[in-house]
Amino acid sequence: MRKLLYALAATALLFTSWAQAQPELRSDHPERYTVVKGDTLWDISARFLNNPWYWPEIWHVNPQVANPHLIYPGDRLALVYIDGKPRITKVSTSDVVKLSPQIRSEAIDTPIPAIPLDAISSFLTDTRIVSPAEINGAPYVLEGEDGRIITGAGAGDRVYARGQKPADRVGVFRRSKEFVDPETGEFLGLEARSIAKGNITAENGDVLTMTLTRSSEEVRIGDRLLVNEDRRLTTNFVPSSPDEEIEGRMISVDGGVNQIGQYNVVAINRGEREGLMPGNVLAVMKSGNLVRDPVTGETIELPSERAGLLMVFQSYEKMSYGLILQATRPLAVGDRVKNP
């Protein structure tokens, strides 16, 4: 009898967990919504759902609509029910009942991104994680044009480097942060920050002449030349909960600020090997305060509380970059991250 009760309790707990994991519509959700310029997928998800990362579970592709997987400004979204379950889908203009005259709008060619791209563009297109061997073995800058040790790095300027040519199109990178797991001491990766881009226009033995095409700051002696990956902005990932159980920490914040808030870029000590992918959403947990027990005199740590959400936008083998999307209180390096 006791075993039966345990089994029933376990089944009830499993059912409760399953029910809690289902997407819940907001009480004030719209029945229809017209996408506008400046929207992000996260914004739209949050209009309909209490938990925006469940968007993939309610998005319903309408095969009769062009580019059904992408959402553009001007698209009309409708909340429908299929087999009794809520679904959001794109509808054509003819499917919408016009109650009053309105301006006809055409969708522009660029789909809305998952999150604000201006906050992460430099990480998606330039900044990268490399190994120390990769950057130490890359050609290094000797000097700038006319013997300058630092060049203003305007388009058309030349710099001279020494080493084996990596490719015709290269980027100038500067060694930046070294990431180490604060819990295990494992080396996670080295951040190479993009400084400039250009072309190798001449070779004289192992001395390379590089003509710059664009730059974000001055090129210095010792900066390294790496292959220009010419990566494109990734905008087609969608909010989702990780498939695996994730427990990690925020280990760095871009800009070195003390308090982390909305739209700050952070690095976390979990990556592809733990199952993290772009689009995965993680909860940020703030450690509880340390208090003194007035009876025993012991120091007690209060329970951690969820204080924010971040979305992973770039993942590497051992670490990832994420963007803080929500912060209900100031966050800090060292705060834990976990499944939402």
Side-chain angles (χ1 to χ4, degrees):
M1 183 65 179
R2 182 175 296 178
K3 290 184 179 179
L4 177 59
L5 290 175
Y6 282 148
L8 290 173
T11 302
L13 180 61
L14 179 63
F15 178 81
T16 301
S17 300
W18 177 86
Q20 291 174 344
Q22 300 308 297
E24 296 179 358
L25 291 173
R26 288 174 54 123
S27 59
D28 58 348
H29 66 80
E31 296 296 326
R32 294 181 184 269
Y33 178 73
T34 300
V35 181
V36 299
K37 186 176 181 181
D39 273 343
T40 66
L41 188 55
W42 180 264
D43 297 331
I44 295 174
S45 303
R47 288 180 181 272
F48 287 92
L49 297 173
N50 285 326
N51 301 323
W53 57 90
Y54 282 123
W55 179 262
E57 298 188 27
I58 69 166
W59 176 247
H60 178 70
V61 171
N62 184 347
Q64 298 177 346
V65 176
N67 297 321
H69 293 281
L70 301 178
I71 301 176
Y72 296 81
D75 282 346
R76 303 185 182 207
L77 308 181
L79 177 65
V80 298
Y81 286 84
I82 300 175
D83 296 328
K85 297 180 180 179
R87 295 289 184 265
I88 297 170
T89 187
K90 285 198 294 186
V91 294
S92 62
T93 305
S94 59
D95 294 329
V96 180
V97 178
K98 296 183 179 180
L99 301 178
S100 61
Q102 54 186 297
I103 298 174
R104 180 184 177 187
S105 62
E106 297 291 339
I108 63 175
D109 293 333
T110 304
I112 64 168
I115 51 181
L117 293 183
D118 55 351
I120 63 172
S121 59
S122 64
F123 288 84
L124 292 178
T125 58
D126 299 312
T127 299
R128 65 186 73 167
I129 298 298
V130 299
S131 67
E134 183 179 356
I135 199 164
N136 290 338
Y140 49 89
V141 173
L142 295 171
E143 66 176 20
E145 196 170 5
D146 299 326
R148 287 176 287 176
I149 60 174
I150 296 179
T151 179
D157 283 355
R158 291 196 303 270
V159 295
Y160 302 97
R162 187 180 186 190
Q164 183 176 356
K165 183 177 81 168
D168 290 331
R169 299 175 63 194
V170 295
V172 180
F173 288 82
R174 185 167 299 150
R175 189 186 188 104
S176 185
K177 305 171 187 174
E178 291 189 4
F179 295 110
V180 176
D181 192 306
E183 298 171 335
T184 66
E186 180 185 14
F187 179 78
L188 303 178
L190 170 66
E191 184 180 88
R193 192 173 83 248
S194 174
I195 304 299
K197 291 186 177 183
N199 302 309
I200 302 298
T201 53
E203 295 179 71
N204 185 4
D206 61 355
V207 176
L208 309 174
T209 301
M210 177 185 180
T211 301
L212 302 177
T213 55
R214 71 177 181 87
S215 64
S216 57
E217 55 184 287
E218 295 175 330
V219 176
R220 300 175 184 172
I221 290 175
D223 286 342
R224 301 284 177 160
L225 306 188
L226 297 174
V227 175
N228 180 11
E229 295 180 349
D230 197 22
R231 290 180 289 178
R232 302 219 176 250
L233 292 177
T234 300
T235 63
N236 59 353
F237 51 79
V238 296
S240 61
S241 183
D243 292 333
E244 308 292 335
E245 286 296 320
I246 303 295
E247 291 279 352
R249 289 183 183 272
M250 298 194 300
I251 58 176
S252 178
V253 56
D254 184 45
V257 296
N258 292 325
Q259 293 187 337
I260 302 172
Q262 187 180 39
Y263 298 152
N264 278 143
V265 172
V266 296
I268 60 176
N269 63 336
R270 296 294 182 264
E272 293 171 348
R273 68 179 180 181
E274 286 83 23
L276 272 185
M277 300 183 298
N280 284 167
V281 175
L282 296 172
V284 183
M285 307 299 293
K286 196 75 178 173
S287 297
N289 293 331
L290 296 177
V291 298
R292 184 176 179 275
D293 187 311
V295 176
T296 66
E298 298 174 288
T299 299
I300 305 296
E301 182 178 350
L302 300 180
S304 298
E305 296 181 352
R306 194 168 91 175
L309 287 170
L310 69 82
M311 181 188 288
V312 173
F313 63 83
Q314 189 73 277
S315 59
Y316 296 88
E317 181 189 4
K318 301 178 182 179
M319 58 171 290
S320 302
Y321 287 115
L323 182 70
I324 301 295
L325 295 173
Q326 291 179 1
T328 57
R329 53 193 287 196
L331 309 176
V333 170
D335 287 344
R336 294 188 175 274
V337 296
K338 59 179 290 186
N339 296 58

